Amino acid sequence: MEQEALETPSAGTSNTGSDMTDIMVVDLESFVHVELDMENNNGISEVGNNLSGLNEAQSLNEEEDENESDDDSGTDHFNSEKSGTQLQRSERPAGGNSNVPDTFQTSHLLFYERFRAYQDYMLGDCKPSEVKAFTADYLEKVVEPCDWLALWSTDVFDVLVEVCDVDFKDLKACVRLVLPLQCDTRGCDLTEEAMKVLLGASGDKVPLQQLQVVFELSGDFDQTALAVEHLRFFYEHIWRQWDEEDEDDFDYFVRCVEPRLRLYYDILEDRVPAGLVAEYQSLLQSCSQCFQQFSVLRSGLSTDSDSELDNVSMVEGLQLYDQLETLRRKLHIFENPLLRYVLGYKGNVPQQCVQSRGPRASGVKGVHVVTASCSSMQLQSLLSDRLLPLCCSEDTEIQFHRDPLSAVEVCHEGDVVIVLPGVYTVSRSIFLPDSITIEGFGLPDEVVIEKKNKGDSFVESTGANVSLSNIKFIQHDAIEGILCVRQGTVHMENCVLQCETTGVIVRNSARLTMNMCDLYGSKGAGVEIYPGSVCSLVGNGIHHCKDGILIKDFADELDVMPSITMENNVIHNNEGYGVILVKANSGEQQGVPADRSEEPAGPTDSQPGGSAALLSSSSSAQSESTEARPDSESSGTDAASSSGRKWHFSRQLSRSKEPSCSRAVQDLMQHQIFVSIQGNQFRRNGMGDFGTFFY
């Protein structure tokens, strides 16, 4: 093509003389210099064809570049045509005198990269019992089978090894030490002989997830490094020992992987309250310990159940299983974003514990004036309207502050904080451990307190009698409510609450009186009312939230129902319900999924004989179905004492996996939690005025 293009203008040159034009056509691969006779139509035609071909080639190259740019660092598992590594180097700590080489940086993958890797490549639509097989198949496709260097990393040491072979079925690698020995140790000294003995004891095999691929610029081991990272992350943060106990009647990725992955990143990005995170981790540890005890007891059962010891073990096993199911159910609540929002139950302990200061030793009352600056007219009005009435006695002192937080932090029992008009920005949560009064000197839109930095909540009150009035609170970057009444009583009047996550939270045994306030913008509920609390809502506007008012009527026997007064409120334009009641699903409510009917009849897990369905006979399917319907007169010990039968604990569909549901109701106004409910207006709420959420 180049030759033809060059010959054509040469012919034109001999005929026409000096009317010449230079054109340069740039291809990705080469340069073509063409002298074109502007008066020669044939020359134009030939060069046009050549240009067309070059443009097509350039277009194809651009499309290939665009396709390559769409690939994710965590998901382009089968593209091996790249030149050079696409991953970053994870350097060893500076100044640490490390003796081992650097590895690939794979621990900072984004949510969507891990999501796509697990969904599209590693797990797909596998069932719980197929997880290991699917994982092995994925690794076999992308992991180099041998001849690559890695760090064998444990809590005690990092040592350089060479991978000789990979056992994909067992998720292990056959390795040998790289000599001379290169290792970093933590709190111990390791010699070459000691490492050889350690490797020999394990058959020269180590778990794949304990390997970190050594960094290489060639890019040949990028996919191996990513695959090992996905494997490590999965077994460290996603997989639970008890997952394989579930029946294979659901998609493992949808039911377990996605919610756990989302929870991990929600915690990582500070979108879950610190107290809730601590509670989740504690539950996870308790569930793991309970499952280990259950597994040990189950594996120790004899094939014959005639002995008294085995009968006792069976009863203990049933009790452990009930405990395990309860813990799993609570974990499922945390892992499901919707359930975590409506059922986050225990009061999250604030990170900063503020003790009550009590009254001043001198008996003096304090009046704290908050203003950056004020006019003489404002000062005169403040003196006549508020300061003189408050300071009529000699045992009162006045202090001036530039921001509300500094004023609150020095308040004692009975103090008054007066906030003059202005916009005040605070960077920390406001804790109210004492009975104080905070009031704005003006209209709420003139007295604005704004919180911008991340934190669990905006205002937290534990004081016996706290009053807030004439203030507008604006919340940013929050992960919990704009006001949390943990203990004591809060009286709020004529306030504006511009929320971001949840609005006002009234915890167990706390009291809230909220009159003539305007609350909006909550991504959760405008007001969350917990069991045992007392809440009076009169003349408020609650709008443009996910739900207007969320009432938690559950779950422990020791809990008492909340006591609620709702009068003359306007609840409108909320995404969900105006008022929603959260309660446990007894199995008899409308809206319960149809698959519940497939469960065997009999007591539930919470009843004494309910766990007898865990036992199944290995003799025949007929005996299994008979034993799944326990007699109400027989105990677990009696059932276990049948001679000649080989009992074992069967895998059951966990009750914690049952889906939740909600439905609109019309009779909620008659519920006994309402002391008084009258004069309220409900308008344009997305799912209805009243609803019930069953879990």
Side-chain angles (χ1 to χ4, degrees):
M1 182 182 294
E2 282 190 34
Q3 187 64 30
E4 291 178 1
L6 290 172
E7 289 176 357
T8 300
S10 298
T13 302
S14 62
N15 292 333
T16 61
S18 62
D19 287 341
M20 310 297 294
T21 302
D22 289 343
I23 294 179
M24 180 175 289
V25 180
V26 181
D27 187 7
L28 295 178
E29 302 289 341
S30 61
F31 295 94
V32 180
H33 184 78
V34 182
E35 292 180 311
L36 178 63
D37 184 354
M38 300 301 294
E39 298 179 359
N40 191 330
N41 294 334
N42 293 333
I44 293 175
S45 175
E46 290 184 21
V47 174
N49 292 335
N50 293 332
L51 291 176
S52 175
L54 291 171
N55 288 336
E56 290 178 4
Q58 185 174 359
S59 175
L60 289 173
N61 287 332
E62 289 176 352
E63 289 180 3
E64 290 177 1
D65 293 340
E66 185 177 347
N67 290 336
E68 288 183 3
S69 66
D70 289 339
D71 291 329
D72 298 313
S73 64
T75 57
D76 183 23
H77 299 284
F78 307 110
N79 182 7
S80 58
E81 301 299 325
K82 296 180 180 178
S83 58
T85 181
Q86 305 297 312
L87 302 178
Q88 300 294 322
R89 179 195 297 266
S90 177
E91 298 181 354
R92 312 300 291 181
N97 298 323
S98 177
N99 298 317
V100 297
D102 296 335
T103 58
F104 285 100
Q105 175 61 271
T106 56
S107 61
H108 298 322
L109 298 180
L110 301 177
F111 167 81
Y112 79 92
E113 293 175 315
R114 297 193 192 275
F115 180 94
R116 186 176 169 191
Y118 292 134
Q119 183 182 49
D120 295 349
Y121 297 96
M122 182 168 166
L123 299 174
D125 58 353
C126 73
K127 308 303 180 185
S129 63
E130 300 171 334
V131 167
K132 194 170 183 179
F134 271 61
T135 302
D137 182 64
Y138 158 75
L139 294 174
E140 193 169 4
K141 288 184 174 70
V142 297
V143 172
E144 293 292 333
C146 60
D147 300 330
W148 45 279
L149 297 178
L151 291 186
W152 177 21
S153 297
T154 68
D155 295 335
V156 179
F157 59 79
D158 297 328
V159 61
L160 183 64
V161 296
E162 180 183 359
V163 175
C164 307
D165 190 18
V166 179
D167 186 347
F168 296 104
K169 184 177 179 181
D170 291 335
L171 305 180
K172 290 186 177 182
C174 182
V175 301
R176 63 167 172 254
L177 289 176
V178 174
L179 300 178
L181 182 68
Q182 301 179 47
C183 69
D184 287 344
T185 59
R186 290 174 282 277
C188 66
D189 292 326
L190 288 177
T191 64
E192 180 180 323
E193 290 301 321
M195 288 303 306
K196 287 182 178 179
V197 170
L198 184 61
L199 270 178
S202 61
D204 292 331
K205 289 186 177 182
V206 299
L208 268 176
Q209 58 262 38
Q210 291 184 0
L211 298 181
Q212 299 180 33
V213 183
V214 170
F215 182 80
E216 273 206 17
L217 290 172
S218 67
D220 294 340
F221 300 105
D222 282 18
Q223 300 310 319
T224 297
L226 285 170
V228 171
E229 166 61 19
H230 291 318
L231 178 70
R232 180 202 64 80
F233 185 90
F234 175 76
Y235 279 103
E236 186 172 335
H237 300 290
I238 306 297
W239 177 255
R240 309 283 185 254
Q241 303 172 66
W242 49 87
D243 284 348
E244 58 187 0
E245 298 290 312
D246 288 324
E247 293 291 349
D248 286 343
D249 60 348
F250 61 86
D251 187 322
Y252 181 72
F253 177 85
V254 173
R255 187 70 68 85
C256 298
V257 178
E258 181 178 357
R260 291 172 186 171
L261 186 62
R262 289 188 184 278
L263 175 61
Y264 174 84
Y265 278 92
D266 283 346
I267 294 174
L268 186 67
E269 295 167 10
D270 294 327
R271 290 198 292 264
V272 181
L276 213 59
V277 174
E279 187 177 346
Y280 175 73
Q281 292 172 344
S282 175
L283 275 174
L284 197 59
Q285 184 177 5
S286 298
C287 194
S288 179
Q289 293 173 352
C290 182
F291 180 77
Q292 291 174 3
Q293 295 174 10
F294 175 75
S295 299
V296 170
L297 190 147
R298 179 174 55 182
S299 62
L301 285 177
S302 173
T303 55
D304 295 326
S305 299
D306 294 336
S307 68
E308 182 178 352
L309 181 61
D310 282 339
N311 292 341
V312 172
S313 297
M314 292 288 284
V315 174
E316 291 177 355
L318 297 179
Q319 294 172 345
L320 278 175
Y321 186 88
D322 283 341
Q323 182 181 352
L324 180 64
E325 284 300 284
T326 300
L327 293 171
R328 291 177 64 184
R329 184 173 178 80
K330 291 181 178 179
L331 285 174
H332 178 62
I333 288 174
F334 280 98
E335 291 165 358
N336 184 301
L338 177 60
L339 295 180
R340 183 165 71 242
Y341 148 62
V342 296
L343 298 178
Y345 182 52
K346 291 184 179 178
N348 301 323
V349 179
Q351 290 177 299
Q352 179 181 356
C353 183
V354 178
Q355 299 294 327
S356 173
R357 300 178 185 86
R360 286 183 173 83
S362 61
V364 174
K365 299 287 185 177
V367 177
H368 305 265
V369 179
V370 178
T371 181
S373 62
C374 67
S375 65
S376 58
M377 293 292 293
Q378 283 179 323
L379 183 58
Q380 183 178 358
S381 178
L382 176 65
L383 283 169
S384 61
D385 294 345
R386 296 299 296 141
L387 293 183
L388 289 178
L390 288 172
C391 304
C392 57
S393 61
E394 296 181 358
D395 58 348
T396 303
E397 65 178 24
I398 301 176
Q399 299 181 18
F400 288 85
H401 307 268
R402 297 185 64 86
D403 65 89
L405 190 59
S406 61
V408 168
E409 287 178 343
V410 297
C411 279
H412 286 257
E413 190 83 16
D415 284 6
V416 177
V417 178
I418 302 175
V419 186
L420 269 63
V423 178
Y424 304 91
T425 301
V426 297
S427 58
R428 304 191 305 276
S429 297
I430 299 175
F431 295 96
L432 307 176
D434 293 286
S435 298
I436 65 173
T437 298
I438 304 176
E439 60 181 61
F441 188 68
L443 298 175
D445 287 336
E446 298 173 343
V447 183
V448 179
I449 303 177
E450 190 173 10
K451 182 175 183 294
K452 291 188 175 181
N453 288 13
K454 287 187 176 180
D456 279 359
S457 60
F458 193 162
V459 181
E460 294 203 17
S461 176
T462 56
N465 193 0
V466 174
S467 295
L468 305 171
S469 61
N470 304 325
I471 299 175
K472 181 175 183 178
F473 296 93
I474 300 178
Q475 185 182 36
H476 298 285
D477 295 329
I479 54 177
E480 205 174 343
I482 195 167
L483 168 63
C484 182
V485 188
R486 297 192 179 276
Q487 301 173 16
T489 302
V490 170
H491 302 276
M492 181 181 295
E493 185 169 348
N494 197 31
C495 290
V496 177
L497 305 172
Q498 181 178 316
C499 311
E500 180 156 295
T501 52
T502 304
V504 178
I505 303 172
V506 190
R507 294 288 186 186
N508 303 66
S509 303
R511 291 173 174 263
L512 170 69
T513 300
M514 181 172 165
N515 299 334
M516 305 301 295
C517 295
D518 188 33
L519 187 155
Y520 59 92
S522 171
K523 296 176 183 176
V527 180
E528 273 192 20
I529 303 173
Y530 276 71
S533 62
V534 178
C535 188
S536 174
L537 306 173
V538 179
N540 303 289
I542 301 174
H543 55 98
H544 295 91
C545 303
K546 188 178 188 304
D547 292 302
I549 299 171
L550 187 145
I551 305 166
K552 302 188 176 184
D553 178 20
F554 62 95
D556 297 339
E557 296 177 357
L558 298 178
D559 285 334
V560 296
M561 288 184 294
S563 177
I564 302 170
T565 299
M566 285 182 58
E567 296 178 356
N568 303 320
N569 300 286
V570 181
I571 302 173
H572 65 97
N573 290 101
N574 295 293
E575 180 183 339
Y577 294 99
V579 178
I580 183 170
L581 178 68
V582 179
K583 61 190 305 180
N585 194 339
S586 63
E588 300 174 356
Q589 306 291 346
Q590 296 179 11
V592 176
D595 58 4
R596 289 288 303 277
S597 62
E598 297 176 4
E599 297 181 4
T604 62
D605 285 1
S606 62
Q607 294 172 323
S611 298
L614 293 172
L615 305 177
S616 62
S617 173
S618 60
S619 60
S620 67
Q622 181 179 1
S623 61
E624 286 184 7
S625 62
T626 302
E627 290 143 13
R629 297 188 295 271
D631 191 310
S632 60
E633 297 178 358
S634 61
S635 65
T637 306
D638 296 334
S641 61
S642 301
S643 60
R645 294 178 179 176
K646 300 177 181 179
W647 298 99
H648 66 281
F649 291 102
S650 64
R651 299 191 304 177
Q652 298 292 319
L653 175 62
S654 171
R655 284 170 53 85
S656 65
K657 303 300 181 184
E658 294 174 4
S660 56
C661 63
S662 64
R663 62 183 175 93
V665 295
Q666 299 298 328
D667 57 351
L668 193 58
M669 294 178 64
Q670 307 301 322
H671 201 288
Q672 55 186 329
I673 60 177
F674 292 107
V675 176
S676 173
I677 179 167
Q678 58 183 354
N680 301 288
Q681 300 180 46
F682 297 86
R683 303 171 183 170
R684 298 183 294 277
N685 294 300
M687 299 181 68
D689 298 341
F690 295 91
T692 303
F693 183 93
F694 297 107
Y695 68 96

